[in-house]
């Protein structure tokens, strides 16, 4: 049996129609990178609640309003709590709130990509074994938090036209001389592979760039993984909601004007289970 992937697309939602009242009674744990953090902040605003550090876990931020609690864990240094560290983050959130989440919203991927030599891999193994990490996160989340609604967001589309300085120069080289571009990456990854595998390393380097193509490739792998699991996982299409929206991003990966649409998609996925928990479904 494959998973039921419930897609929430932009064409199906109206940003101004976000009805957070449908989430009454929910405790939502948000796990991921800065594109998840900005949604956490926006959702707190919709709840008329201020986000604050929790006393028990200073790296866990939470807000509560309209009988809804939302929490997000901040990394203490460079990096993120995407799904490769998601179980750790969920444990901290549960401890900080004193109860398990009824809904889990996760993403990950942008921090797994590189634009060497300007942007190194934060975790090459996370990219190479992304299927393993996502499968582990989903299976263990289901086991630990039985009954919680699980939603995954695909990585935002990247608009390389917003890059400047080294990033812009490297993207230009990648487009016009991919073999030459890959030299730095091959050199960096060579110690991780047996001798004589430069061709294979080069292929992986070119498939894992911090570009629209790199995100699209990784998203496809992650969605295929979800499709093999016996789990009901909702999907917010972060890529589809941001692709082609270069006029709405300053840095090529954050899209403030799309956050309400992402939250509307999330609410649409969470509301039915929230109603059942209240005995209304």
């Amino acid at each position: 049996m494959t998973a039921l992937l419930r897609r929430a697309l932009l064409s199906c939602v109206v940003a101004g129609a976000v009805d957070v009242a449908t989430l009454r009674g929910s405790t939502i744990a948000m796990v991921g990178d800065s594109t998840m953090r900005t949604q956490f902040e926006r959702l707190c605003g919709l709840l008329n609640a201020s986000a604050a550090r929790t006393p028990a876990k200073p790296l866990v931020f939470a807000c509560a309003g309209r009988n809804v609690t939302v929490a997000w864990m901040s990394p203490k240094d460079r990096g993120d709590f995407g799904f490769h560290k998601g179980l750790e983050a969920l444990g901290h959130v549960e401890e900080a709130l004193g109860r398990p989440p009824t809904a889990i919203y996760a993403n990950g991927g942008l921090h797994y990509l590189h634009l060497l030599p300007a942007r190194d891999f934060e975790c090459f193994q996370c990219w190479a074994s992304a299927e393993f990490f996502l499968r582990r996160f989903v299976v263990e989340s289901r086991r630990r938090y039985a009954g919680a609604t699980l939603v995954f967001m695909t990585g935002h589309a990247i608009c390389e036209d917003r890059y400047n300085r080294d990033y812009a120069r490297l993207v230009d080289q990648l487009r016009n001389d991919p073999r030459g571009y890959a030299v730095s990456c091959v050199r960096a990854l060579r110690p991780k592979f047996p001798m004589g595998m430069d061709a294979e390393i080069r292929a992986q380097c070119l498939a894992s760039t911090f570009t629209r193509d790199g995100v699209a490739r990784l998203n496809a792998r992650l969605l295929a993984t979800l499709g093999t699991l016996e789990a009901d996982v909702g999907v917010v299409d972060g890529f589809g909601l941001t692709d082609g929206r270069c006029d709405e991003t300053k840095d090529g990966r954050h899209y403030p004007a799309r956050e309400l649409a992402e939250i509307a998609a999330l609410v649409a996925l969470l509301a039915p289970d929230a109603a059942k928990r209240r005995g209304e479904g």
Side-chain angles (χ1 to χ4, degrees), residues 3-149:
L4 173 61
L5 299 181
R6 295 176 294 168
R7 302 291 191 107
L9 303 175
L10 177 60
S11 60
C12 299
V13 297
V14 178
V18 180
D19 186 3
V20 292
T22 60
L23 301 179
R24 294 189 315 279
S26 297
T27 298
I28 305 169
M30 302 177 75
V31 173
D33 56 28
S34 59
T35 65
M36 185 63 65
R37 184 200 73 233
T38 57
Q39 289 181 70
F40 162 71
E41 294 168 346
R42 184 64 65 94
L43 183 52
C44 288
L46 291 173
L47 295 171
N48 294 324
S50 298
R53 295 181 185 273
T54 58
K57 290 286 181 176
L59 293 179
V60 175
F61 288 76
C63 68
R66 301 187 181 183
N67 198 22
V68 179
T69 299
V70 188
W72 175 78
M73 182 164 181
S74 169
K76 64 181 178 181
D77 49 22
R78 186 169 181 262
D80 71 287
F81 275 96
F83 55 80
H84 68 294
K85 294 181 179 178
L87 295 171
E88 175 188 349
L90 289 176
H92 288 301
V93 168
E94 181 179 10
E95 185 176 346
L97 299 180
R99 61 183 182 277
T102 61
I104 299 167
Y105 184 29
N107 78 333
L110 294 184
H111 285 260
Y112 307 165
L113 304 173
H114 77 94
L115 205 55
L116 282 161
R119 177 191 174 97
D120 200 353
F121 284 103
E122 289 188 21
C123 178
F124 171 72
Q125 196 59 42
C126 296
W127 176 84
S129 303
E131 293 88 348
F132 163 79
F133 287 109
L134 181 59
R135 185 179 299 109
R136 182 184 66 177
F137 175 72
V138 171
V139 171
E140 280 298 302
S141 294
R142 278 280 174 259
R143 185 183 68 81
R144 296 183 189 182
Y145 306 104
T149 308

Side-chain angles (χ1 to χ4, degrees), residues 171-187:
V171 165
D172 183 68
Q173 182 184 19
L174 174 61
R175 291 170 175 170
N176 295 289
D177 179 20
R179 187 180 182 91
Y181 164 79
V183 169
S184 294
C185 179
V186 171
R187 186 182 303 120

